[in-house]
């Protein structure tokens, strides 16, 4: 049978308008009975609601004059969701990889502007305009002509160059039958066509590796640095395929070297992501190729990636969404700088995935 003192302690419940007073008195009463001091701790808001509910049922008249303030009156105001604080310009933002960089960046609180010749992509293949597209500022511009995009660089925090060509016009002409095979291949693989001049600055821009893979990126980096952009990300490549002219990869490496110098001189962080073959279900032909290359890269991995002549085929293919996520994460993490290879891309993409799961 409970002690009279303990019974009196419980009798105090209906008359306590304050949970603080109730717990203090109850602890004192139990200590008096057991001679053991009990620590006092403030109850949680959940315990407070349960207590008031039980008390109001048992003695509504006693609680009426001493009911606590409504919950809404004592809660701290919920801070508003912050507006986008980071700005990003994606050159090539309507392309295969660039559009996904825009999509992921906009979902991670970036204010995104896409620059391309077409402006906003044609969403016919998607069936309808995706919801995220309304968050992007789609602008028309030509990377071969800096005057068309200089205003878009004003006040941006980060810039991405996500464009280039895999095949030059001569090589495409051979593949489509518009160019004689021998003459076309001779032009495509002619290393003497390489030029050290900036074809964009000199007004000689063409659809060549030098212009598209190197000079447009270098010129964009120069313009970004002049506007005090904090970060510049260049989408490069892990290697070339043996079927492509060597100039495809040498122009990308030249771009990396020149842009790194621009960044160092202007205190602009430079990042060079080097993906392998990109695949996505939206481009059906990439899926079986990715399967084949996945097998080849697995075998190459067993030999320490030292099988000769494989080039980019010796690396595991990457989902385009993963590369886009890795690019955005690289811009967000100020510790990331310089070259980010296939393994680095995979690690960054995994971090983005984990954050999405939280």
């Amino acid at each position: 049978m409970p002690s009279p003192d303990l019974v009196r302690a419980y009798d105090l419940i209906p008359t306590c308008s304050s949970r603080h007073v109730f717990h203090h008195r109850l602890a004192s009463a139990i200590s008096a009975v057991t001679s053991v001091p009990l620590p006092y701790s403030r109850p949680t808001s959940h315990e407070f609601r349960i207590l008031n509910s039980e008390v109001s049922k048992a003695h509504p008249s006693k609680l009426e004059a001493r009911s606590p303030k409504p919950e809404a009156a004592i809660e701290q105001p919920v801070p508003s969701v912050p507006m986008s604080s980071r700005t990003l310009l994606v050159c090539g933002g309507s392309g295969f990889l660039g559009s996904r960089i825009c999509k992921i960046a906009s979902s991670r609180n970036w204010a995104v502007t896409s620059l391309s010749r077409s402006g906003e992509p044609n969403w016919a293949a998607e069936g309808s305009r995706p919801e995220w597209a309304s968050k992007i500022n789609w602008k028309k511009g030509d990377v071969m002509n800096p005057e068309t995009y200089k205003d878009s660089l004003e006040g941006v925090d980060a810039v991405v160059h996500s464009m280039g060509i895999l095949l030059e016009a001569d090589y495409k002409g051979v593949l489509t039958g518009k160019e004689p095979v021998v003459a076309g291949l001779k032009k495509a693989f002619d290393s003497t066509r390489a030029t050290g001049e900036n074809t964009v600055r000199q007004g000689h821009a063409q659809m060549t590796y030098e212009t598209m893979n190197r000079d447009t990126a270098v010129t964009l980096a120069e313009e970004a640095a002049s506007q005090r952009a904090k970060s510049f990300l260049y989408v490069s490549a892990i290697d070339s395929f043996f079927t492509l002219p060597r100039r495809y990869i040498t122009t990308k490496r030249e771009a990396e070297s020149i842009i790194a110098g621009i960044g160092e001189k202007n205190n602009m962080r430079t990042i060079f992501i080097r993906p392998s073959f990109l695949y996505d279900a939206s481009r059906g032909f990439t899926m079986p190729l990715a399967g084949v290359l996945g097998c080849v890269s697995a075998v190459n991995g067993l030999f320490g990636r030292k099988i000769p002549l494989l080039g980019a085929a010796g690396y595991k293919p990457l989902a385009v969404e993963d590369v886009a996520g890795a690019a955005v994460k690289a811009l967000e993490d100020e510790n990331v700088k310089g070259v980010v290879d296939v393994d680095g891309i995979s690690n960054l993409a995994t971090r983005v995935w984990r954050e999405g799961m939280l």
Side-chain angles (χ1 to χ4, degrees):
M1 183 172 181
S3 164
D5 289 331
L6 191 57
V7 172
R8 283 195 296 273
Y10 278 99
D11 286 341
L12 291 172
I13 294 176
T15 64
C16 289
S17 61
S18 167
R19 53 186 175 147
H20 176 86
V21 175
F22 162 65
H23 274 255
H24 180 69
R25 292 182 180 177
L26 181 58
S28 299
I30 295 176
S31 296
V33 175
T34 61
S35 298
V36 178
L38 296 180
Y40 168 69
S41 61
R42 296 177 63 85
T44 65
S45 59
H46 178 66
E47 294 170 337
F48 180 59
R49 285 191 294 269
I50 293 176
L51 174 61
N52 279 338
S53 175
E54 294 299 324
V55 170
S56 61
K57 290 177 182 178
H59 301 279
S61 59
K62 293 185 179 181
L63 185 65
E64 182 178 355
R66 295 180 292 271
S67 59
K69 294 180 180 180
E71 190 75 14
I74 61 176
E75 286 185 348
Q76 295 296 324
V78 178
S80 60
V81 178
M83 299 295 289
S84 296
S85 57
R86 300 168 294 186
T87 53
L88 173 65
L89 174 67
V90 182
C91 289
S94 63
F96 183 48
L97 174 60
S99 61
R100 287 160 176 81
I101 293 176
C102 291
K103 172 186 175 181
I104 293 175
S106 66
S107 71
R108 295 174 67 86
N109 205 35
W110 287 82
V112 183
T113 296
S114 166
L115 182 83
S116 64
R117 284 184 173 182
S118 61
E120 184 168 357
N122 183 350
W123 302 111
E126 303 283 341
S128 62
R129 188 178 193 244
E131 183 178 349
W132 63 266
S134 61
K135 302 177 182 178
I136 311 301
N137 179 21
W138 303 99
K139 298 187 69 173
K140 289 186 178 182
D142 185 357
V143 289
M144 295 187 189
N145 183 1
E147 296 300 323
T148 66
Y149 63 73
K150 281 186 176 181
D151 62 327
S152 299
L153 286 167
E154 295 179 3
V156 298
D157 295 311
V159 179
V160 172
H161 183 279
S162 175
M163 56 196 316
I165 57 173
L166 192 63
L167 301 174
E168 287 186 310
D170 300 320
Y171 207 170
K172 287 183 178 179
V174 172
L175 296 178
T176 58
K178 296 179 181 180
E179 186 87 25
V181 176
V182 176
L185 291 177
K186 186 176 180 179
K187 289 180 182 178
F189 286 86
D190 184 5
S191 60
T192 63
R193 298 178 66 185
T195 174
E197 70 172 2
N198 186 324
T199 57
V200 173
R201 294 295 191 193
Q202 297 300 321
H204 302 152
Q206 305 176 61
M207 293 297 289
T208 63
Y209 291 129
E210 285 72 27
T211 295
M212 298 306 299
N213 291 357
R214 184 191 67 197
D215 298 338
T216 58
V218 169
T219 304
L220 179 64
E222 291 173 343
E223 297 293 341
S226 70
Q227 293 292 334
R228 302 185 182 280
K230 299 175 183 176
S231 304
F232 187 93
L233 186 145
Y234 172 65
V235 179
S236 186
I238 192 63
D239 205 341
S240 180
F241 290 92
F242 70 91
T243 55
L244 295 178
R246 187 64 185 165
R247 285 169 40 246
Y248 163 76
I249 195 65
T250 57
T251 51
K252 285 184 174 290
R253 295 294 179 263
E254 290 168 2
E256 292 178 9
S257 177
I258 299 171
I259 293 170
I262 295 171
E264 184 176 354
K265 182 180 178 180
N266 295 276
N267 195 30
M268 180 176 69
R269 182 169 59 109
T270 53
I271 306 165
F272 311 107
I273 62 171
R274 294 180 176 179
S276 53
F277 180 80
L278 302 184
Y279 66 89
D280 187 76
S282 64
R283 291 191 176 184
F285 71 91
T286 65
M287 302 303 287
L289 282 175
V292 172
L293 292 175
C295 295
V296 173
S297 65
V299 174
N300 190 36
L302 296 176
F303 291 90
R305 291 178 177 169
K306 294 181 179 180
I307 298 179
L309 303 179
L310 286 180
Y315 295 84
K316 67 176 182 179
L318 296 169
V320 67
E321 288 276 346
D322 287 345
V323 178
V328 175
K329 188 62 183 177
L331 291 172
E332 294 174 348
D333 187 345
E334 295 185 359
N335 293 317
V336 178
K337 59 184 67 176
V339 174
V340 181
D341 60 12
V342 172
D343 292 335
I345 291 171
S346 296
N347 290 337
L348 288 169
T350 299
R351 290 172 60 185
V352 173
W353 176 82
R354 286 175 177 172
E355 290 170 0
M357 296 296 290
L358 296 178

